Amino acid sequence: KERLGILCSGRGSNLASIIEAVERGDIPAEIAIVIADKADAYALERAREKGIPAVPVIYRDYAERADFERALLKELQAHGVTLVVLAGFMRILSPIFVHAYTGRILNIHPALLPSFPGAHAHRDALAYGVKVSGCTVHFVDEGMDSGPIIMQAAVPVLEGDTEETLAARVLEQEHRIFPASIKLYVEGRLRTDGRKVQILHVAEGGSL
Ligand code: GAR
């Protein structure tokens, strides 16, 4: 069984949607640990309420980014994590981290990549004036929000939208496609050549 290590920075609503999918039996995996880079991240509370190990690993406790990432890796490895899930984790991971889990890190980004990567996707989308936005689940590679795309969902940008109203509309879709993507990964149904992702379909009778 895959063991998920979920990294968060704040509220953890995506985390909650993944926990629910695991509890329902939709995602046949175990959540081994939840880590937040802030001690007061609500995500940690959500995990603890469900009896999931939850630990803060605080960026400023470490002299260098490499030390912070080594601390993250140590926690993940101590809990036997096989798949790293970035659920609202607001830090860029260096190649040191990415190489330790090559092809085994998933991220959700609140825009239709490759448009609007980075930390201010909704602000950037509104400033550009796009009429459609959405969210993207992708494999993490060494670039910023640049890895192979697994799933996307689109939503309209409406007249009078603010960052908050657009974010809320996109978030509903995040809560749908992130658990669905994790499910496909855990079921061994994602193949990638490092650029494109192919989803393998289950034949009637259950085998691939
Ligand atoms: C989500 O909208 C997620 O897509 C975004 O942060 C939010 C976290 O919400 N992530 C990024 O912007 C990554 N650059 P949550 O804590 O309620 O899941």
Side-chain angles (χ1 to χ4, degrees), residues 10-15 87-90 107-110 118-119 122 145 171 174-175:
R11 174 180 59 182
S13 72
N14 276 289
L15 169 69
F89 186 66
M90 299 306 284
N107 182 46
I108 179 99
H109 182 74
H122 300 304
D145 298 326
L171 199 60
E174 296 185 37
H175 295 163

Side-chain angles (χ1 to χ4, degrees), residues 65-67 69-70 73 93-101 142:
R65 186 223 287 262
D67 299 323
E69 292 189 354
R70 272 191 283 271
L73 288 171
L93 294 166
S94 80
I96 294 181
F97 187 97
V98 174
H99 284 165
Y101 278 97
E142 291 176 16

Side-chain angles (χ1 to χ4, degrees), residues 75-89:
E75 285 293 345
L76 294 170
Q77 282 155 4
H79 288 82
V81 166
T82 58
L83 175 67
V84 178
V85 175
L86 309 182
F89 186 66

Side-chain angles (χ1 to χ4, degrees), residues 7-10 35-37 57 68 72 85-93 107-108:
L7 273 51
C8 303
S9 293
I35 302 175
D37 65 344
V57 176
F68 167 71
L72 287 178
V85 175
L86 309 182
F89 186 66
M90 299 306 284
R91 290 190 183 281
I92 295 166
L93 294 166
N107 182 46
I108 179 99

Side-chain angles (χ1 to χ4, degrees), residues 17-98:
S17 74
I18 297 162
I19 292 174
E20 277 168 31
V22 170
E23 283 180 340
R24 275 200 309 272
D26 263 4
I27 300 177
E30 190 160 329
I31 302 176
I33 187 169
V34 171
I35 302 175
D37 65 344
K38 297 194 185 84
D40 62 353
Y42 185 55
L44 292 174
E45 262 182 64
R46 290 191 200 258
R48 288 184 190 124
E49 269 171 24
K50 297 288 186 176
I52 298 165
V55 299
V57 176
I58 313 298
Y59 188 77
R60 60 166 190 282
D61 287 353
Y62 301 89
E64 288 179 40
R65 186 223 287 262
D67 299 323
F68 167 71
E69 292 189 354
R70 272 191 283 271
L72 287 178
L73 288 171
K74 202 174 145 201
E75 285 293 345
L76 294 170
Q77 282 155 4
H79 288 82
V81 166
T82 58
L83 175 67
V84 178
V85 175
L86 309 182
F89 186 66
M90 299 306 284
R91 290 190 183 281
I92 295 166
L93 294 166
S94 80
I96 294 181
F97 187 97
V98 174

